[in-house]
Amino acid sequence: MTTQTLTLPRAPRSWKKLAQPVALILIGVYCLAPFYWMLVSSLRRTSDIFDTSLFPQTLSVESYAKVFSGSSDFARALVNSLIVATVTTTLALLLAIFAAYAISRLHFRFKNVILAVIIATSMFPGISVVVPLLRLFSDIGWINTYQAMIVPSLSFAIPLAVYNLTTFMKQLPFDLEEAAMIDGATKWQAFRKILLPLAAPGIFTTAILTFIHSWNEFIIALSMVNNPKFQTATVAISKFTGASEFQAPYGEQMAAGVIVTIPLVIVVLIFQRRIVEGLTSGATK
Amino acid sequence: MTPPTAATAPKTSQPPELPPTDPRGHTADSPAPRGATPAPRRQDGKAAAFLLSPTLIVLALVIFYPLLSAVGQSLYSSDAGLDDQGFVVQGDVFVGLQNYAQIFAGPESARFYNALWNTTFFTVVSVALETVIGVMFALMMNRAFKGRAFLRAAVLVPWAIPTAVSGLLWRWMFQTDGIVNTLSGAQVLWTAEGMAAQVAVITAEVWKTAPFIGLLVLAGLQIIPEEVYEAAKLDGATAWQQFWSITLPLVKPALLVAVLFRLLDALRMFDLPFVLIGPRKESVETLSILAWDSANQLEYGMASAFAVVLVVYVAAIVYVFVRLLGADIFTSSDAATPRKRFRRAAADDAVVPPARQPGARTTTHEVKQP
């Protein structure tokens, strides 16, 4: 971006030169130290879990082995999370692509009202949807099913997806579609053959954001399911208990935390630029 | 990224239905309101309804129906009792506004007021801290060039960690013999009850979300053209003055949106206190936890009433926030916001260098105007 290159000539005095690496280290430590501590703790043996050395004396995957064996069926929980988050993301995207196309490309009345309503729906606290649906789902026998988690999750996934995609599609030039339509393409063809490929990066970014939000969802999954077979990973972790009430299995908890987080961290590292663009598109519209 | 000017393209283009030879396009007097031509709008309306209705129907089912249902359920009590003839009444009894009376003035209203206070306290303190730290991060990151990619990745890590996991992580760090007590040399029972537990919750919340605010503010900072600062410097403005009268007013729109989203999120705080401290802990019980706990005891009427009160509270705060500070989240980008207009102006500047202003002050002043 131009503004970045323009900042360069501002040659700093010597203390300003020092300020840069200091800021780098400061932010790095702030953001990463707790995560590092989780990683290190998960790699300690149960016997020296309370060590406070910065690096474990003996590396051990004991905690990881425990997570996948024993009573807590964590592999199952991961699969459940994957199912719920994938289905939620897919459904939300399917609906949002068409809604975003309509909002960004078509002329019709009440457009701003509709967009405002869709955004406003994301303001309602999760609990206000969970309580009444809990009642409904117990009446129709949906407790302990995937759909009981997926349907309420749509309440935050759809507004998120619509908002992101609309912002993205509005940035795409209309010229190509217009040209195609002048050449005789129908609207549907222009949408499918021109807009959709152009919007692919935006759809992808939206998919990542929606997936991360659904993967991290807690209150719905906690309320709608009480059978461990259907628990998602975030809920399963919070319910890890040790042999006695006063001895929480911290090693296992940290290992499970790392397992749940690592895929997200990898995705974040690979697609950081896109994710930041997606997150900030609303703020600088 | 698409060039900023591309954003204007859809608006200036012809409505697609119009054949290029349509005479209306050529009438010289009325070239402007092309988007407002009645004929294509009617045709688009059908398509738009067709494309939008699935989304709206699903949203109605997963949000508006539950909300209405919550209002309805809040008027019932599930306590089994005896009716006029002395029969045991199974199921729900209509009690009108009694649940709300219970909440605000009943024997257990203290628990509600405590939860209301906790929710407000956590929201105000953590959002304030997040904003300050976030803005500081953004300013630092805006200056850093070498480690930019590293910083961006690092900042995304707390954001990506599931809140429930971060609750566990901080629970581990705040252990009696955990790293926090070791480093500080104190012996505080962070995860039990009281002030220490509140500090623990706020710390974990701020850690996770300050970087997010930093990202949003950074995006706002990056579209402020450097000339503005150059001009201010020529005028002899100190770094503090530059921050206070240039940076802050110009990132205000981005900042307000960030703060508003954080407010909404903090007001429904659930996962963090629930995992870090636990349910039914007086010092960290938020309204969400209180409602959840009631539902868990099968007191759906009370739980719904709590949920409704929370919705009203959130709506009131959003309203006040938008009214007082003018945070602009609802306007679609169709109506050019000041920021956008400004960005477009900045983009034009980049193409055609503007003639030097007579005095630097004018430049700064101009920028403040939009």
Side-chain angles (χ1 to χ4, degrees):
Chain A
M1 268 188 230
T2 41
T3 43
Q4 286 171 26
T5 37
L6 280 171
T7 328
L8 276 173
R10 195 192 289 194
R13 278 159 282 169
S14 58
W15 65 269
K16 268 192 176 170
K17 262 184 196 160
L18 202 72
Q20 253 198 42
V22 168
L24 204 77
I25 292 167
L26 205 74
I27 299 179
V29 168
Y30 175 98
C31 295
L32 298 179
F35 182 69
Y36 175 76
W37 196 244
M38 177 161 80
L39 193 64
V40 167
S41 304
S42 73
L43 291 170
R44 287 187 215 277
R45 291 173 304 188
T46 318
S47 45
D48 45 37
I49 184 81
F50 286 105
D51 261 17
T52 47
S53 57
L54 266 182
F55 195 78
Q57 244 81 75
T58 3
L59 282 175
S60 141
V61 290
E62 194 184 322
S63 300
Y64 288 88
K66 272 190 193 164
V67 166
F68 286 109
S69 64
S71 57
S72 50
D73 196 352
F74 196 63
R76 174 87 196 227
L78 284 173
V79 173
N80 289 341
S81 271
L82 199 63
I83 292 174
V84 172
T86 310
V87 176
T88 306
T89 308
T90 314
L91 288 177
L93 272 181
L94 274 179
L95 293 172
I97 287 174
F98 294 110
Y101 174 79
I103 295 173
S104 63
R105 286 292 189 262
L106 302 181
H107 301 274
F108 57 96
R109 286 164 73 199
F110 307 124
K111 185 197 283 187
N112 284 345
V113 177
I114 288 175
L115 185 61
V117 166
I118 292 176
I119 296 172
T121 48
S122 66
M123 302 196 311
F124 295 115
I127 189 74
S128 63
V129 172
V130 163
V131 169
L133 286 186
L134 193 57
R135 185 73 186 276
L136 175 71
F137 289 172
S138 18
D139 287 349
I140 60 174
W142 271 25
I143 298 297
N144 292 325
T145 58
Y146 289 121
Q147 65 266 32
M149 292 184 272
I150 292 166
V151 168
S153 293
L154 288 175
S155 68
F156 66 83
I158 290 177
L160 181 76
V162 171
Y163 185 58
N164 264 297
L165 273 178
T166 307
T167 321
F168 187 83
M169 283 188 188
K170 273 186 176 156
Q171 288 174 355
L172 294 176
F174 187 55
D175 310 3
L176 283 173
E177 287 160 74
E178 196 189 11
M181 281 188 283
I182 289 172
D183 285 350
T186 62
K187 251 189 188 171
W188 169 246
Q189 284 170 328
F191 165 74
R192 202 165 48 94
K193 298 214 168 128
I194 295 172
L195 180 67
L196 222 47
L198 278 179
I203 295 173
F204 184 70
T205 309
T206 310
I208 294 179
L209 289 180
T210 316
F211 185 87
I212 291 181
H213 274 267
S214 323
W215 179 268
N216 295 356
E217 200 287 318
F218 184 73
I219 189 171
I220 296 171
L222 176 76
S223 312
M224 296 302 175
V225 163
N226 50 36
N227 180 348
K229 271 186 152 180
F230 291 94
Q231 259 169 15
T232 59
T234 47
V235 176
I237 287 185
S238 75
K239 291 195 170 164
F240 272 11
T241 43
S244 81
E245 197 185 331
F246 299 102
Q247 197 198 356
Y250 284 110
E252 282 171 60
Q253 289 182 349
M254 292 306 110
V258 170
I259 295 167
V260 172
T261 314
I262 281 293
L264 301 185
V265 170
I266 292 172
V267 167
V268 157
L269 289 182
I270 299 175
F271 303 110
Q272 41 162 310
R273 198 178 285 271
R274 288 224 176 122
I275 292 178
V276 170
E277 265 172 33
L279 284 177
T280 54
S281 63
T284 56
K285 63 177 177 194
Chain B
M1 269 181 70
T2 40
T5 38
T8 59
K11 265 181 295 157
T12 49
S13 51
Q14 294 259 1
E17 282 80 11
L18 287 181
T21 48
D22 189 292
R24 264 176 298 177
H26 296 297
T27 44
D29 324 71
S30 55
R34 268 175 290 181
T37 335
R41 175 183 279 180
R42 227 178 294 127
Q43 285 177 11
D44 272 1
K46 261 186 203 159
F50 177 71
L51 292 174
L52 278 168
S53 48
T55 299
L56 294 178
I57 290 171
V58 172
L59 281 181
L61 284 177
V62 299
I63 297 196
F64 293 105
Y65 165 72
L67 277 181
L68 286 179
S69 162
V71 173
Q73 284 182 30
S74 73
L75 303 177
Y76 287 85
S77 169
S78 40
D79 298 336
L82 301 179
D83 69 2
D84 296 341
Q85 278 87 39
F87 288 110
V88 178
V89 178
Q90 291 281 334
D92 295 347
V93 186
F94 182 79
V95 293
L97 294 176
Q98 196 185 303
N99 283 331
Y100 293 96
Q102 287 275 326
I103 288 178
F104 289 105
E108 284 184 49
S109 61
R111 193 177 171 198
F112 165 73
Y113 286 114
N114 173 60
L116 182 67
W117 163 252
N118 284 342
T119 307
T120 314
F121 176 70
F122 285 153
T123 303
V124 170
V125 175
S126 55
V127 173
L129 286 172
E130 284 154 32
T131 310
V132 172
I133 296 177
V135 169
M136 274 165 41
F137 276 14
L139 290 172
M140 289 181 194
M141 286 164 76
N142 201 29
R143 289 275 178 276
F145 294 104
K146 282 187 185 148
R148 198 178 269 270
F150 163 75
L151 280 184
R152 196 169 41 202
V155 156
L156 281 175
V157 167
W159 170 81
I161 290 187
T163 314
V165 173
S166 101
L168 270 187
L169 164 60
W170 283 95
R171 188 181 169 82
W172 164 234
M173 299 201 343
F174 277 122
Q175 257 310 90
T176 330
D177 31 16
I179 186 76
V180 174
N181 275 346
T182 309
L183 287 181
S184 63
Q187 278 299 317
V188 182
L189 284 170
W190 296 101
T191 50
E193 268 277 21
M195 194 64 183
Q198 296 179 331
V199 172
V201 168
I202 290 175
T203 309
E205 170 79 359
V206 170
W207 171 71
K208 187 167 159 47
T209 48
F212 175 75
I213 294 199
L215 272 181
L216 293 188
V217 174
L218 179 64
L221 283 179
Q222 285 179 343
I223 52 183
I224 301 178
E226 192 59 23
E227 293 94 39
V228 185
Y229 292 102
E230 304 284 330
K233 254 190 244 163
L234 284 179
D235 247 16
T238 62
W240 179 249
Q241 280 172 328
Q242 288 178 35
F243 170 74
W244 203 248
S245 37
I246 299 175
T247 312
L248 214 51
L250 285 177
V251 297
K252 197 179 141 206
L255 187 61
L256 283 183
V257 172
V259 170
L260 181 59
F261 278 120
R262 284 300 315 137
L263 273 182
L264 289 171
D265 227 28
L267 284 169
R268 59 184 162 211
M269 192 190 285
F270 179 86
D271 318 15
L272 199 56
F274 187 90
V275 176
L276 180 51
I277 313 293
R280 285 185 290 283
K281 293 286 175 85
E282 193 194 346
S283 52
V284 296
E285 187 167 71
T286 61
L287 282 176
S288 280
I289 297 183
L290 182 57
W292 180 86
D293 192 43
S294 301
N296 215 28
Q297 319 278 333
L298 302 181
E299 293 167 358
Y300 290 112
M302 277 306 261
S304 302
F306 283 129
V308 171
V309 170
L310 178 59
V311 169
V312 172
Y313 188 51
V314 169
I317 288 191
V318 171
Y319 179 79
V320 169
F321 188 83
V322 172
R323 262 301 154 95
L324 282 186
L325 295 165
D328 168 35
I329 44 163
F330 293 126
T331 346
S332 87
S333 348
D334 265 2
T337 55
R339 163 145 314 278
K340 192 171 169 189
R341 234 181 286 138
F342 176 71
R343 183 162 34 158
R344 221 175 287 145
D348 292 345
D349 280 359
V351 183
V352 187
R356 261 280 151 249
Q357 303 289 339
R361 185 167 296 277
T362 355
T363 325
T364 345
H365 193 68
E366 259 184 11
V367 169
K368 273 194 203 163
Q369 279 289 329

